[in-house]
Amino acid sequence: MRELRQETIDMFYHGFDNYMNIAFPEDEIRPLSCRPLTRDGARADNIALNDVLGNYSLTLIDSLSTLALFASASPAIHSDGSNSILASFQKGVALLVEYYGDGSDGARGQGLRAKGFDVDSKVQVFETVIRGVGGLLSAHLFAVGDLPIQGYDPKAVLRGVEKQRAGEDATSNILWPNGFTYDGQLLRLAHDLATRLLPAFYTPTGLPYPRVNLRHGIPFYLNSPLHHDAEHGQCYKDPPATREITETCSAGAGSLVLEFTTLSRLTGDSKFEQLGKRAFWEVWRRRSAIGLIGSGIDAESGLWAHPTTGIGAGIDSFFEYAFKTHILLSGKDDINTTLFSDSLPPTSHRNDPNSILRPLEDDENKSWTFLSTWEIAHSAIKRHLHREIHHPHYINANLYTGSPQAFWIDSLGAYYPGLLTLAGHLDEAIETHMLYAALWSRYSALPERWSTRDGTVEGGLGWWPGRPEFIESNYHLYRATRDPWYLHVGEMALRDIKRRCWAKCGWAGLQDVRTGELTDRMESFFLGETAKYLFLLFDPDHPLNHLDAPFVFTTEGHPLILPKAMAGTERPPHDDDTSIKATCPKPPPMPPLSLSAVAARTDMFHAASLARLHLLPKSDTLGMSRIEFAKDHPSTRFDAGSSPTNYTFYPWTLPLELIPTLGYSSRIAAKHSFEIQFPTTQPNIMAGQQSLSRIAEGLVINSMEGIRLGMILDGPRYADGDGSGGESFRIYNVGSFPLGRDEKVFIKKDVLGNMVDPNFTRLRDTMSLEIIVDATKAPLNSTDDQSSPMLANELRQVLNESPQPEVSSRAMVEMRNMISSLLQQFSAPVSDQSESPKKAAEDFVRIPAVSATGVGAAPLPEVEDAPDVDNSEWETAQLPWSNIFLAGSACDGKLTNTAYTKHQVVVIMRGGCSFSQKLANIPSSPPSRTALQLVVVVSDDDDGTRPLLDERQRTPGGLLRRHPIPMVMIEGGLKVYETLARARGVGLKRRYHVRSQGVPVSNLFII
């Protein structure tokens, strides 16, 4: 690892030295043509450059924290105690101050290039915060000793705000060997840069505009409230000819919290923290009903610009900042209430968008609220975006329904395994990262997008600009597992970068990972992140790897921490909440006779197969990306691209001793799927949209003609499942309409008819049903129990508010979840304009019920189903049973004979005796249409169990009952019992389900 560590340092300096010698003070360097890379003045719409490059020496700012981190490496510390890399860091800080001033309002605030960041550059808010503000803050924390540098002791000088609180002088000076005195210049410059971004937050929503001019603000956003303030607003002479884009991304708006909170806590200027948090919560509160957020959102309207979601581009760092803000604020939840500090320039007292925005709620400042947000978001991602077919990966889906929209993964999404690792979801992180490692093994880099369905680069997006996300996740996984497999993945990345991306004046990006074509640009994040994570991977003893404090890496790889002196006293109010895990899982156990748990995994080949590694030619074939740039290359050895295997074991740098001798592959995850095409009476006409209706729960099929249903088998993970363990089919698309995992398909009973087909058979549910109660006002029914009555609307409220049990029947659960939504979406309100006994749908109470089971159970009576709620039959509906007898507990001996002969329904409270005994107390008589048809047991419990009749039914005299009585059970206790006391009628509504090849279809419902 020592050699790899030194190679990483050398790689960094090859890029950094060339930038400083050739391109500084410009933003970036062109490594192929050896020229500075600056903003595109000729094309203002070239946002690929202009969003990032702000004419403020971006690469130097982005590299300072890497230099500070490298300064702890043993080769940097010489025998005389000097530290050459630390000297480079200190020289970089001094140069930055020389060109941009010290951030103050006086003469020292003027630099060779600008006074602070007073430059005429229109930049993206997000990129400027994570690269500029974050880079300055992280370098400041290293400079004052809040982040560790081995051998560097700045005497722990207190910053101005802390000294002010202690009643001391606000001046702090740290004298460096190069003669430069550090007194917080980087912090003041960070404040200056962030202040210039504030106009972007003058929006109606609290979501920042995507861009701002560092000198002129936002004159191009004409609808901003900032332009409506005659005294303090901005003026513009000539309105722009075209409307400025107001769409920002969820990551761009929601990923400002770490930098802005750190800036506020270090300076005492609270407005940044409040703006960053508010923008985060404004994104989150617009999440869909299934817990997903979109990729693009309009800063003025707050509406989602696109209905697509995923884990990658446009969304990625929102999830990252949800969890990392929880870490950063741990133990420091106290709100920063110091509005302004005397040590800050007077300009801080202006431009506070918080004055026009809603105040934050208390919980929106708490670390545990951010943790809860991450847990909710992760659950939604796991439910709707995670796919286990072939090998676990994530899809892009519809924001509102979770239905699949695209089957590609992007290189930005490679951050997610690292985030999962930090959050304790280690197994998910390991298997997700394996696919990215296999892809890197195939392409010697990660293409921007790759299709999991086609196994190719998606849409020609094959570039790799030096992104760090995959290497970042690899670092976190090694820290969590200490598995040497991840060291060899890092070695593979280093070797491939050196072999493919070397240029005379730095490191070039790959325009196409397949051809090796280079781009003439070295992105600042290559030095700020990619090199940093590689170095930390190869330096397990680095002080930052052993820092016992809540520090985080920003999405730009800059370490941030809130100093211990700022610790708060707030504690989470939900210490007993077991839904949020407080401990990290153990790493996977090492298999016997193995050196790597990952290399010995039985799903190692699954990821290799999905990445098509097994289709690569042999390693000695000329023209492969492994060796295409190896010969005579000035930066690598000729044999650096060799592989000991055929690449199905990866990375290609994996030594043979880590490959298990007796390793094997488990069966690749697969799911059985097929389609059903229903015939049409008009052969030349396909099923159109008139056959389908979209509702909140899913789709309603109005006609089966020409309908095509796609089915997939859910259940056991592997293809050799034996059918046990709850297998079921799920409809995943209807025609051209894909469905989300929780979406349902509804078919009206009369549309389906009595269709019988091996692939599609309607069956009556023998267990689950509904009791329909006509709850219009009526006299009390016959009773043996003097219970007080309730009005119908009160009963409905009780039923809606009463807790629903966790039942063992899936059908019961589905039924309860759908009742309210179906009532809303299918019922046609009927007004009662006369005194006649016309009824409306709301006069009928629907109560889920389960039938009895056991040897004594009798089949339900054959009566017509109660009317549907979506037609006008409710007005004159007559339920089949109007004579109801209330029997109390029915445990105190034989009921009256009229309970059987004159009543069609007997209602019994649960408890007091067995279900069989209750039936034994009911008299026996020849059956008739006016005699007893059904026994309804009302339960107080919410266990959802079926009534068990464990012996055959008997009469009060002990004889076997010739005509057994059907029994069902409902919940609700005394209040539901009283509902039936006022019922005008009772009926049944049976549930139906569909089976395909003998397996139930879980998300299809007959209505």
Side-chain angles (χ1 to χ4, degrees), residues 853-857 914-917 919-920 948-954 960:
T853 185
V855 295
S914 68
F915 295 110
S916 296
Q917 183 59 52
L919 290 179
L948 175 62
L949 300 176
D950 53 359
E951 58 183 60
R952 297 178 64 183
Q953 292 188 28
R954 296 183 179 274
L960 289 177

Side-chain angles (χ1 to χ4, degrees), residues 417-642:
L419 176 58
L420 291 170
T421 302
L422 290 175
H425 303 282
L426 194 54
D427 289 339
E428 185 181 354
I430 291 172
E431 60 188 14
T432 303
H433 177 267
M434 287 170 61
L435 177 57
Y436 287 106
L439 283 176
W440 186 292
S441 291
R442 175 177 175 180
Y443 292 106
S444 295
L446 284 185
E448 185 72 2
R449 285 186 185 177
W450 186 80
S451 172
T452 56
R453 179 183 57 191
D454 302 330
T456 59
V457 172
E458 173 79 12
L461 304 181
W463 59 79
W464 182 74
R467 293 199 190 280
E469 286 78 12
F470 167 67
I471 298 170
E472 173 190 0
S473 289
N474 190 72
Y475 158 71
H476 287 303
L477 278 163
Y478 176 69
R479 296 301 306 165
T481 64
R482 306 301 173 92
D483 194 306
W485 189 83
Y486 296 104
L487 294 175
H488 293 287
V489 170
E491 180 188 7
M492 170 182 68
L494 178 62
R495 299 271 182 251
D496 285 335
I497 291 170
K498 293 180 64 178
R499 179 170 49 82
R500 305 194 76 193
C501 301
W502 184 91
K504 181 179 179 181
C505 296
W507 301 96
L510 292 170
Q511 182 61 34
D512 193 322
V513 297
R514 296 164 295 184
T515 65
E517 179 187 355
L518 298 176
T519 57
D520 196 10
R521 182 179 184 183
M522 185 178 73
E523 293 263 14
S524 68
F525 54 66
F526 181 80
L527 302 182
E529 293 185 84
T530 307
K532 181 181 295 165
Y533 287 120
L534 277 173
F535 176 81
L536 285 173
L537 173 68
F538 299 137
D539 190 3
D541 296 325
H542 193 280
L544 207 59
N545 283 330
H546 298 277
L547 182 60
D548 187 15
F551 81 96
V552 295
F553 290 99
T554 69
T555 195
E556 190 68 12
H558 296 302
L560 293 180
I561 192 171
L562 299 183
K564 292 182 179 179
M566 296 181 179
T569 57
E570 190 69 27
R571 292 294 181 269
H574 62 333
D575 291 335
D576 58 344
D577 188 351
T578 58
S579 65
I580 297 178
K581 305 297 186 295
T583 58
C584 293
K586 294 181 180 180
M590 196 71 67
L593 304 177
S594 175
L595 299 177
S596 168
V598 178
R601 286 177 65 100
T602 59
D603 60 351
M604 173 65 68
F605 179 73
H606 299 183
S609 174
L610 183 56
R612 279 62 167 184
L613 282 182
H614 61 299
L615 301 181
L616 286 182
K618 295 181 179 180
S619 60
D620 57 356
T621 302
L622 294 178
M624 283 198 58
S625 63
R626 299 280 169 274
I627 58 176
E628 59 189 5
F629 296 125
K631 189 173 183 180
D632 301 326
H633 196 284
S635 181
T636 189
R637 300 187 304 271
F638 176 72
D639 62 348
S642 62

Side-chain angles (χ1 to χ4, degrees), residues 570-752:
E570 190 69 27
R571 292 294 181 269
H574 62 333
D575 291 335
D576 58 344
D577 188 351
T578 58
S579 65
I580 297 178
K581 305 297 186 295
T583 58
C584 293
K586 294 181 180 180
M590 196 71 67
L593 304 177
S594 175
L595 299 177
S596 168
V598 178
R601 286 177 65 100
T602 59
D603 60 351
M604 173 65 68
F605 179 73
H606 299 183
S609 174
L610 183 56
R612 279 62 167 184
L613 282 182
H614 61 299
L615 301 181
L616 286 182
K618 295 181 179 180
S619 60
D620 57 356
T621 302
L622 294 178
M624 283 198 58
S625 63
R626 299 280 169 274
I627 58 176
E628 59 189 5
F629 296 125
K631 189 173 183 180
D632 301 326
H633 196 284
S635 181
T636 189
R637 300 187 304 271
F638 176 72
D639 62 348
S642 62
S643 172
T645 73
N646 65 348
Y647 304 117
T648 55
F649 276 99
Y650 51 94
W652 60 262
T653 51
L654 191 70
L656 290 172
E657 56 266 24
L658 262 65
I659 299 176
T661 304
L662 301 177
Y664 67 94
S665 174
S666 58
R667 188 182 295 270
I668 291 179
K671 290 189 176 181
H672 173 56
S673 63
F674 66 97
E675 287 190 345
I676 300 176
Q677 178 76 53
F678 290 87
T680 176
T681 57
Q682 304 178 49
N684 296 325
I685 300 179
M686 298 297 293
Q689 293 189 0
Q690 69 275 8
S691 301
L692 303 172
S693 301
R694 166 67 71 178
I695 62 173
E697 296 282 334
L699 290 176
V700 177
I701 297 179
N702 303 311
S703 170
M704 298 301 294
E705 288 216 358
I707 287 291
R708 186 178 74 254
L709 301 180
M711 302 271 202
I712 190 168
L713 185 65
D714 283 339
R717 175 173 178 175
Y718 297 103
D720 56 354
D722 59 2
S724 60
E727 276 188 339
S728 63
F729 281 111
R730 173 172 54 86
I731 299 176
Y732 67 88
N733 74 273
V734 179
S736 60
F737 293 91
L739 295 178
R741 183 163 283 175
D742 291 338
E743 285 196 283
K744 303 174 178 66
V745 177
F746 302 94
I747 304 178
K748 295 182 180 180
K749 184 175 62 174
D750 55 347
V751 170
L752 192 59

Side-chain angles (χ1 to χ4, degrees), residues 189 193 263 271 340 350 364 505 743 785 824 897:
L189 285 172
L193 182 56
L263 178 62
K271 60 175 172 281
F340 302 105
R350 300 194 303 270
E364 291 177 328
C505 296
E743 285 196 283
D785 180 55
Q824 294 173 2
N897 287 334

Side-chain angles (χ1 to χ4, degrees), residues 888-904:
S889 65
C891 292
D892 299 328
K894 178 184 175 182
L895 303 181
T896 62
N897 287 334
T898 56
Y900 186 97
T901 59
K902 302 295 185 182
H903 298 87
Q904 295 144 319

